[in-house]
């Protein structure tokens, strides 16, 4: 793999930096960003000058084309992904390169579907969320012969960057998922139940959180692939400021949701929530199904300190195993080896804790989707 040129867009951002650190010994890296000076600082200070540095402006076609030329793989770590959509992907494919995106999700998938040259690989949603959030439940679910019900939780505590805040706001109502929806009998259904306040799960000892029902498109694919009869997803919020800001913004005009004022409000709210606290990101899953001929239930959780490092680690795993991936257009969670990816992430990030509690008999269904009015 050392002779392959991998172009890294958004190289000196928090996600791109993690990818660069993990891939520098394995391939020939080309670091790209609007500010070549920052990319060169990364190269000299942390990569010992092993990479090539080029300035690239994502909104300049000529600049983007020049950056992608000669690359065998282009990895996009820049954002907001819901604004970039397919700009980097199209330039990479036109230059003869494969493409890997830590974001992308359904809007990008829709634009690229049916447009890939034969034999090429494009992998989307190869980060923490989406990405690891779709892989992690599979590890626990694989211990069951039949999965009947599944709950997935995701959340954490940390300061949002302006780019992350804008990307989140752009995702609302833009194909990423649906609030107050769950999964039942092979389809998405509106839930009657509202957010649960004061939830204090044992995988977050001593911390009360707000769990907001949210069915992402990644979860829909997961529930469908596992043939789960009943499934739910929840976004977790701790501290209250961010949850309150999001509730206010979601009730506003969709055309102005991603305004500069709302972006600043999310950044400020997340900063207030994390003040004096230790940042963390958590994924948790509860499974009920048939194991060893008996109806059982089990829970597992993953907790890391930095969502950007988790995202970058998943992307680096994809790049290192690129030749083993199927050709065509895919979501990361549907084609990666979930257990191998999780093990590699834990090796790279030793502070990432994973717990797989022993399963226990289930005498009644523990996950039921209570439908509301469609």
């Amino acid at each position: 793999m050392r002779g392959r040129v991998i172009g890294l867009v958004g190289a000196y951002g928090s996600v791109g930096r993690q990818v660069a650190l993990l891939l520098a010994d394995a391939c020939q890296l080309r670091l790209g960003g609007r500010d070549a000076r920052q990319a060169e600082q990364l190269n000299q200070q942390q990569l010992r000058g092993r990479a090539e540095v080029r300035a690239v402006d994502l909104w300049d076609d000529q600049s983007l084309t020049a950056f992608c030329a000669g690359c065998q793989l282009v990895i996009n770590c820049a954002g907001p992904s819901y604004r970039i959509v397919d700009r980097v992907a199209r330039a990479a494919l036109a230059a003869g390169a494969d493409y890997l995106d830590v974001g992308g999700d359904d809007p990008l998938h829709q634009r690229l579907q049916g447009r890939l040259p034969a034999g090429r690989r494009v992998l989307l949603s190869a980060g923490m969320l989406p990405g690891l959030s779709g892989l992690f439940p599979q590890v626990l679910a694989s211990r069951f012969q039949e999965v009947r019900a599944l709950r997935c939780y995701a959340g954490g505590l940390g300061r949002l960057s302006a780019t992350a805040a804008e990307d989140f706001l752009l995702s609302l109502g833009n194909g990423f998922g649906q609030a107050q929806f769950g999964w039942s009998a092979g389809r998405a259904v509106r839930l009657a139940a509202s957010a649960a306040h004061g939830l204090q799960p044992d995988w977050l000892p001593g911390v009360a959180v707000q769990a907001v029902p949210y069915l992402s498109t990644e979860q829909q694919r997961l529930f469908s692939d596992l043939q789960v009869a009943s499934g739910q997803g929840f976004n977790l919020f701790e501290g209250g400021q961010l949850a309150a800001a999001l509730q206010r913004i979601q009730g506003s005009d969709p055309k102005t949701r991603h305004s500069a004022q709302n972006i600043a409000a999310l950044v400020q709210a997340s900063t207030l929530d994390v003040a004096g606290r230790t940042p963390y990101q958590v994924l948790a899953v509860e499974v009920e199904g048939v194991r060893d001929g008996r109806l059982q239930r089990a829970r597992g959780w993953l907790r890391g300190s930095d969502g950007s490092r988790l995202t970058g680690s998943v992307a680096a795993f994809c790049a290192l195993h690129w030749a083993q991936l199927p050709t065509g257009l895919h979501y990361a969670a549907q084609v990666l080896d979930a257990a191998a990816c999780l093990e590699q992430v834990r090796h790279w990030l030793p502070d990432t804790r994973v717990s797989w509690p022993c399963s226990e008999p289930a005498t009644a269904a523990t996950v039921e989707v209570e439908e509301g009015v469609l």
Side-chain angles (χ1 to χ4, degrees):
M1 185 176 175
R2 183 63 202 174
R4 299 178 67 222
V5 177
I6 294 183
L8 186 56
V9 179
Y12 52 79
S14 54
V15 174
R17 187 177 300 269
Q18 176 72 0
V19 176
L21 290 171
L22 295 176
L23 294 185
D25 288 331
C27 62
Q28 184 178 340
L29 275 181
R30 179 180 295 172
L31 308 180
R34 182 171 294 183
D35 188 343
R37 184 179 60 178
Q38 291 193 58
E40 189 58 52
Q41 286 178 348
L42 167 64
N43 186 34
Q44 296 301 326
Q45 295 175 8
Q46 296 185 267
L47 305 182
R48 303 193 302 277
R50 289 171 292 173
E52 172 192 2
V53 172
R54 292 194 187 184
V56 58
D57 183 348
L58 301 188
W59 308 108
D60 183 293
D61 291 344
Q62 186 174 357
S63 174
L64 197 52
T65 296
F67 178 83
C68 294
C71 292
Q72 281 73 53
L73 171 65
V74 173
I75 304 176
N76 181 34
C77 297
S81 62
Y82 277 84
R83 190 178 297 280
I84 294 171
V85 198
D86 61 338
R87 283 193 60 80
V88 182
R90 285 189 288 106
L93 292 171
D98 287 345
Y99 182 70
L100 169 63
D101 201 315
V102 300
D105 215 61
D106 289 53
L108 177 53
H109 191 282
Q110 292 167 7
R111 293 197 183 188
L112 296 180
Q113 197 165 24
R115 299 183 180 181
L116 264 64
R120 304 286 280 284
R121 294 180 176 90
V122 171
L123 200 62
L124 310 179
S125 302
M128 186 198 81
L129 191 151
L132 192 60
S133 52
L135 291 165
F136 184 68
Q138 296 179 43
V139 181
L140 186 55
S142 66
R143 303 182 181 194
F144 289 77
Q145 287 78 50
E146 178 188 351
V147 177
R148 296 186 178 179
L150 189 62
R151 283 182 187 258
C152 300
Y153 302 85
L157 193 66
R159 182 184 183 277
L160 290 174
S161 67
T163 298
E166 183 178 5
D167 216 12
F168 182 83
L169 292 176
L170 286 168
S171 74
L172 297 175
N174 196 21
F176 184 76
Q178 296 171 291
Q180 293 299 129
F181 269 73
W183 185 263
S184 179
R187 64 186 180 94
V189 296
R190 185 177 293 278
L191 302 177
S194 59
H197 296 270
L199 182 68
Q200 198 163 353
D202 54 10
W203 34 265
L204 281 181
V207 178
V209 296
Q210 178 181 356
V212 179
Y214 189 88
L215 181 68
S216 70
T217 53
E218 179 183 64
Q219 288 165 349
Q220 292 183 50
R221 294 189 292 270
L222 174 69
F223 297 152
S224 178
D225 290 345
L226 294 177
Q227 298 183 338
V228 174
S230 178
Q232 285 187 259
F234 296 89
N235 288 339
L236 303 177
F237 297 94
E238 180 190 344
Q241 297 291 334
L242 184 59
L246 284 173
Q247 186 175 19
R248 177 185 60 79
I249 292 171
Q250 284 182 305
S252 64
D253 185 348
K255 295 180 181 179
T256 61
R257 280 179 183 166
H258 58 281
S259 67
Q261 181 181 0
N262 284 341
I263 293 170
L266 284 193
V267 172
Q268 181 181 25
S270 67
T271 302
L272 291 172
D273 278 346
V274 79
R277 300 289 310 284
T278 300
Y280 69 88
Q281 296 293 325
V282 66
L283 300 173
V285 59
E286 299 172 346
V287 183
E288 182 181 294
V290 177
R291 183 180 181 187
D292 300 326
R294 295 182 299 155
L295 187 62
Q296 299 187 47
R297 61 184 177 214
R299 292 170 292 175
W301 54 264
L302 176 152
R303 180 172 174 141
S305 60
D306 190 323
S308 294
R309 294 180 69 203
L310 284 166
T311 290
S313 297
V314 173
F317 176 86
C318 295
L320 290 173
H321 295 81
W322 198 253
Q324 286 75 54
L325 299 178
T327 59
L329 175 64
H330 304 282
Y331 295 103
Q334 291 187 301
V335 295
L336 293 182
D337 183 324
C341 182
L342 178 62
E343 187 60 32
Q344 184 63 72
V345 169
R346 294 175 67 188
H347 174 72
W348 282 333
L349 303 176
D351 63 340
T352 299
R353 298 180 56 199
V354 175
S355 174
W356 296 120
C358 296
S359 59
E360 57 188 30
T363 56
T366 57
V367 181
E368 291 291 343
V369 171
E370 183 181 358
E371 296 185 35
V373 179
L374 285 173

